[in-house]
Each structure stands twice: as structure tokens, then as C-alpha cells.
Amino acid sequence: MASSSDPALNEELQCSICLELFTDPVTTPCGHNFCRSCLSKCWTNTQTCFCPLCKDQFIKRPDLKINTTLREVAQHFKEKLNPGEPEVFCDFCDERKQKAVKTCLTCQSSYCDSHLEPHLRVPRLKKHKLINAVENLEDYICQKHERPLELFCRDDQTCVCLFCTEGEHKTHNTVPIEEESREKKMPFHPDVSECGHFLASSELEHAENQLVQTQIDVHQMIQDRMKKIQEIKHSVELRKRNTDKEKSSSVELFTDLIRSIERCQSELMEMMEEQQKAAEKRAEDLIEELEQEITELKRRNTEIEQLSHTDDHLHLIQMNSSLYSRPHNKNWTEIRIDSDVNVNSLNRALIKLKETQDATLNKKLCQTGLKFVQKFAVDVTLDPDTAHPSLILSDDGKQVTDGGIEQDVPENPKRFDEDLSVLSKQGFSSGRFYYEVQVKGKTEWDLGVVRESINRMGELRLSPDYGFWSLILRNKNHYKACDHTSVSLSLREKPEKVGVFVDYEEGLVSFYDVMSRSLIYSFTGQTFTERLYPVFSPCYHYKGKNSRPLIITPVSPLLD
């Protein structure tokens, strides 16, 4: 079939019988166009003439004339389809080479009109295989036997020569190439048999139904792919909007962080300035006091110097007690001004500021993280085929609790036989997903995700090494993350609702306290190669002390 860069125009210029561009097109009274030879073949050996496309019947055979305008358009389009097609020249012209019109596969040569004449006249040459002149003659010749490729091997789906059928293709199903070509076209022409006769009505109806169904299927495939294109475009646009929103939120968060740091820096600088001013004031006071003592000591020294040269012995004796007694001045050896900044007080101030800012920032970071993962919320329901026989599931598949006694349930290799656990019906092998579980009022529970291939028989080993990524509660307030090495968790608040988030490609499993909007624990750097399933264990009810169910709850997005 011809092809073009303009498939719509190509289709308009195709004959619906041979599916090729029109050759000598004619128009039926109902307005449809066909190649004259194709339509004539359809109307051979039939008394009733009708349109092969719309099935309109004609009382008498129409007198069809060639639609010259349509023929010229089709011819122009053919030339456009094959620009610069190489010309094939006659192999036997001596001087000026003439354009070849036919190629003989038997002689493996091309001929112009004059040199072709013997092939049309001599009986022996008339048996040769002639085709329209071609340049790539080797494509039509068996490279092994150098004979024309005249047959098609249906077993090996390849073209062969007569000599091939006497060798490796001897027992194979071979047919003439022309026959195979016609049969490959026949599914698209249910009206006509190989010899050109119309098929029986039942066969025709069946063929038409097949064609209609094929058209419906193809149309549906087109619609599905167009819909998928729209889905992809919508997903990209939605992701862009979410990215812009998250960028804005992140900018706001880090702006607050920068402001907090700047405020902390300003307060620290102010505190340091105040300490420096206090140190300078104390130094001024001490210097003033020292200068006063120096003045007093100098005065005493002058008086003592004068008395040392006086002859007034009475005055000397009278002044002896006051001048020779040691002055009662301050002990300055223990008094100093530190040159170092008071690091301890600054540290205390910084810690206080940090605690204040961290509380705000951590809250904002956790809120941002939880808001982000909640966007990947999925609808999860419990799978009764996997539930331990003692577990009781609600009709809607959203709640599970321990019933205390084993129920009569069908045997199933998917079922947990010792551990009080149940999986979800939904499994995930890519992307991100998030769900929330109410654990309020329970003293023990297990939550997490597992590999599809985990061993469900006997006592379970809750560790990533065995395909479990779990968070558990024991004895009312002992929380543990079952990592490769068990990790005890100290939580400020007792979670009432736990959010579970998984990023398959990133190898991340995170648990959140939804009410306090805080991250409890994350398994990071994991490698997932199988489908993952959420797993739930309400644990034993312990005579009613742990009888409350685990409840899969709808995800309510956080409000700012």
C-alpha cells in the first residue's frame, strides 16, 4: 500500500477494493470511486451490480467513464510519493541507453521496448518471468540458486525459487507468490473470492461482520490511545500545578527558616553588645576607683617624705600612727575583666532560641511532609482469603479484630495459619501509596507492608530480611520499628491514627502519627523487587483488654 506524509489525502485517493492509489478511477451513481479494473472484476459473472462500498444496487449496469480529474490528482500524488525515483535503463542498447520497461527474472536483464520484442514473440522466451523494470534485481533472485523467487514458503514465511522446493523446502507448504499476495489482501475484501466471484451470503455476512468488528476494534484502540494521551497530558499538568504549589510551600517554609535565623542572629548580636557594654562600664568603674586610691597613696607618700626631713619631733610622733599604718585598700589581685566572651551564657541563650525555633520549624516540616504523602492516598480493603481463621473482618473490609476462636474457613495457601494477620486485596509494584489506620484504644498491634512471597506459615520474622517492614506496639506503650535490628521508639504522644507511606522506586517506608502530624519512623534505602501488600494485625484481644479493631479510615487532607 502506498504511504505518504499526508495519510488523510492518501486515504482519499485509495481504491477501497485494491487499497492502492486509483488507476483509471470511475465513479458509481452513488458517488463512490474505484479503479475501473477492480470494479469490472467485481461485476464479472454477476447479474446484479451494486456498489462494493455502500451496497447500493443498480437496476442496470452503469456506463462508467474515467474520472479524468481524479486520475490526474492520483497520478500527481503518485509522483509526489516517489520523488527522484531512479530510472532503469536497457541492458542491450549500444549507444544511447533507452529507458527499460520490463525486467526478465529468468534472463536477469532489463529491456527497452525494442529489445523486449523477442520476449513477446518467441515461444521459449514468452515463458520467462517478466516484471516491471526494477533496479534492485537481486531482491527478486534467489541468491543461492540464482533463479527467480516465484514461490512463498508458508512454513518459513519467506520467498523461494523452484530449486529451493527440491531441497530444504521440499516438504514445506509453498504457494505462488501471487496467490499469497491475494490471500493477504482478501481479509480486506470480503465481497470477492480469489477468482473474482461474489462469496455465498453466509460467508459474505461472516466476512462483513469480521471486517466491521475489526474496524470497531481499531477505532476503539485509537480512542483508547487518544484518551491515554489526554491522561498523560493531564498528569503532567497536574504534576506541574502540584510542583508549583510545593515550591511555593517550600519557599515559604525556608523563608520562615531564614527569618528565624536572622532573628536569632539579631538577638545574639544584641546580647553580645549588651555584655560588651556591661564589661566596659565595669572597667570604667574599676579604673575610677583605682585612680582614687592612687591619688590617696601619692598624698600619703608626699606627707611621709616631708616628715622624714622635719625637726618637729612632737609632730612626727603624733603623725606616726596614721602615716605608718597600712592603708585599708581593696585587694586588686582577685579582680579582673575577662577578655573572653561568656560562652556559657551565650550557649544557653542559643539553646533557648533553638528550642523555640525548632518546635515551630519541626511542626511546619512534619505538616509539609504529611500533607505531601497524603496526596498519594489509596483505597485499601482487607482480603478475607489471607486472614487468620481467628480474625473477624467487617463486611466492608475496613475493620479487623481478634474473635478469640478459629472459624471454619476454606483452606487457602495465601492464609496466615499462626500469626493473627491479614493482607489487603490491593498490591503495589511501582509508584507511591499512602493509607491511614485507626489504632485508638489498643494495647497491641502490628502495621506495615510485606512482600507478596512471604512465608505465611508458622511464626513470622518481622524484619526486612524476611520481607516485612513493620511498626508494632506491645504492652500499651512500647513501640518498636522492626528494622534489620529492632529499634525501640520513644514517642511523646500515643498515636491514635497511623499513616503508612511507601515510595516503591525510592525504597522508602514511613510511618506517621496523623493526629500530632509527626514522623514516627522511616525504613530507607530498601530495594523492592516484588509486589507489596499492606499488612494488619490487631493481635490477641487478651480477655477484652485489646478488643478494639484496627480500622482503615478515609484520608482527610491536613488543613493549614
Side-chain angles (χ1 to χ4, degrees), residues 6-219:
D6 189 348
L9 180 58
N10 191 356
E11 187 175 333
E12 290 295 327
L13 296 177
Q14 283 179 7
C15 171
S16 59
I17 297 176
C18 67
L19 299 182
E20 298 287 352
L21 290 174
F22 288 122
T23 301
D24 292 337
V26 294
T27 305
T28 60
C30 58
H32 294 117
N33 299 298
F34 306 94
C35 295
R36 182 168 62 176
S37 59
C38 294
L39 192 57
S40 297
K41 189 175 182 180
C42 285
W43 289 352
T44 301
N45 299 326
T46 180
Q47 295 180 350
T48 304
C49 298
F50 58 87
C51 175
L53 193 61
C54 69
K55 309 304 184 209
D56 275 0
Q57 292 190 1
F58 312 122
I59 299 176
K60 64 177 183 177
R61 183 165 182 159
D63 183 17
L64 301 175
K65 297 186 185 313
I66 295 176
N67 187 330
T68 55
T69 301
L70 186 57
R71 180 178 61 182
E72 291 175 1
V73 172
Q75 182 61 35
H76 175 74
F77 194 69
K78 285 180 183 179
E79 294 173 357
K80 185 179 178 181
L81 285 176
N82 301 296
E85 187 178 62
E87 291 184 336
V88 180
F89 293 97
C90 178
D91 293 326
F92 294 90
C93 291
D94 293 330
E95 297 180 357
R96 183 178 179 182
K97 292 284 187 181
Q98 299 295 318
K99 185 176 179 181
V101 293
K102 292 291 181 181
T103 295
C104 178
L105 297 182
T106 307
C107 300
Q108 299 185 28
S109 300
S110 297
Y111 300 92
C112 63
D113 281 326
S114 59
H115 288 108
L116 180 65
E117 189 271 336
H119 275 77
L120 304 178
R121 175 176 49 81
V122 178
R124 179 176 58 83
L125 296 179
K126 289 174 68 175
K127 296 178 181 179
H128 288 191
K129 182 73 173 180
L130 293 176
I131 61 173
N132 290 332
V134 294
E135 185 180 38
N136 52 334
L137 185 59
E138 63 275 5
D139 292 346
Y140 298 83
I141 302 298
C142 175
Q143 298 302 307
K144 183 176 182 180
H145 302 111
E146 297 186 353
R147 300 287 296 175
L149 296 171
E150 300 179 90
L151 303 171
F152 182 80
C153 177
R154 289 177 172 173
D155 293 344
D156 294 338
Q157 291 292 299
T158 186
C159 295
V160 297
C161 71
L162 284 172
F163 285 7
C164 290
T165 61
E166 297 176 2
E168 57 183 312
H169 297 272
K170 186 174 183 179
T171 60
H172 292 185
N173 179 17
T174 57
V175 295
I177 288 178
E178 292 81 359
E179 179 180 338
E180 180 68 17
S181 177
R182 283 197 302 271
E183 290 196 9
K184 288 188 181 302
K185 289 184 178 181
M186 278 304 297
F188 302 99
H189 317 296
D191 299 346
V192 188
S193 67
E194 290 184 18
C195 62
H197 295 122
F198 284 95
L199 301 174
S201 59
S202 59
E203 295 175 339
L204 178 60
E205 183 178 357
H206 176 69
E208 288 178 342
N209 290 339
Q210 282 187 323
L211 181 59
V212 170
Q213 186 59 49
T214 301
Q215 290 175 325
I216 293 173
D217 292 342
V218 171
H219 180 72

Side-chain angles (χ1 to χ4, degrees), residues 195-406:
C195 62
H197 295 122
F198 284 95
L199 301 174
S201 59
S202 59
E203 295 175 339
L204 178 60
E205 183 178 357
H206 176 69
E208 288 178 342
N209 290 339
Q210 282 187 323
L211 181 59
V212 170
Q213 186 59 49
T214 301
Q215 290 175 325
I216 293 173
D217 292 342
V218 171
H219 180 72
Q220 185 61 48
M221 291 172 67
I222 293 172
Q223 295 301 315
D224 290 344
R225 281 150 181 75
M226 292 178 66
K227 183 179 179 181
K228 179 56 66 175
I229 290 173
Q230 294 303 317
E231 287 179 3
I232 293 172
K233 289 182 178 179
H234 177 70
S235 297
V236 172
E237 181 61 30
L238 184 61
R239 180 182 178 86
K240 184 178 183 301
R241 290 200 297 267
N242 289 337
T243 299
D244 292 341
K245 186 176 180 181
E246 290 303 322
K247 284 167 61 178
S248 176
S249 177
S250 298
V251 169
E252 181 181 348
L253 178 64
F254 284 102
T255 299
D256 288 344
L257 176 61
I258 292 171
R259 288 173 180 170
S260 298
I261 293 173
E262 290 176 345
R263 184 164 57 251
C264 178
Q265 181 184 23
S266 176
E267 293 178 5
L268 177 60
M269 294 300 103
E270 185 177 345
M271 183 182 299
M272 293 175 67
E273 288 292 336
E274 290 177 355
Q275 288 186 351
Q276 177 64 24
K277 289 180 180 179
E280 291 176 357
K281 179 65 170 63
R282 175 165 171 72
E284 289 176 359
D285 292 343
L286 291 175
I287 290 171
E288 183 179 355
E289 188 176 351
L290 284 168
E291 287 176 344
Q292 289 176 356
E293 289 192 8
I294 291 172
T295 301
E296 178 62 24
L297 290 172
K298 284 182 177 181
R299 185 185 62 76
R300 277 182 171 243
N301 187 56
T302 300
E303 290 180 355
I304 292 172
E305 181 69 27
Q306 290 175 352
L307 286 175
S308 66
H309 298 91
T310 185
D311 294 332
D312 188 349
H313 300 290
L314 177 62
H315 182 63
L316 180 64
I317 293 172
Q318 290 175 341
M319 296 294 293
N320 181 50
S321 59
S322 60
L323 290 175
Y324 289 98
S325 62
R326 187 176 180 86
H328 297 288
N329 295 325
K330 186 181 294 186
N331 183 4
W332 291 96
T333 59
E334 301 297 329
I335 297 175
R336 66 186 180 85
I337 299 294
D338 290 335
S339 60
D340 294 330
V341 178
N342 191 340
V343 176
N344 289 334
S345 62
L346 290 178
N347 281 343
R348 285 195 296 271
L350 284 172
I351 291 171
K352 184 177 180 181
L353 287 171
K354 182 178 182 299
E355 288 176 348
T356 302
Q357 299 304 325
D358 281 354
T360 302
L361 290 173
N362 282 339
K363 183 177 181 181
K364 289 183 178 180
L365 285 169
C366 289
Q367 287 181 2
T368 301
L370 188 54
K371 282 174 63 178
F372 174 77
V373 301
Q374 283 184 331
K375 296 176 181 178
F376 303 97
V378 294
D379 185 18
V380 174
T381 53
L382 303 173
D383 183 1
D385 291 339
T386 65
H388 183 276
S390 294
L391 295 182
I392 298 176
L393 277 57
S394 62
D395 292 339
D396 62 358
K398 297 295 184 181
Q399 301 186 29
V400 57
T401 188
D402 174 26
I405 58 173
E406 291 194 3

Side-chain angles (χ1 to χ4, degrees), residues 383 385-387 411-416 423 452 456-457:
D383 183 1
D385 291 339
T386 65
E411 291 188 7
N412 194 317
K414 297 180 181 179
R415 193 180 304 282
F416 292 92
L423 302 183
E452 185 174 18
R456 307 177 193 188
M457 305 300 166

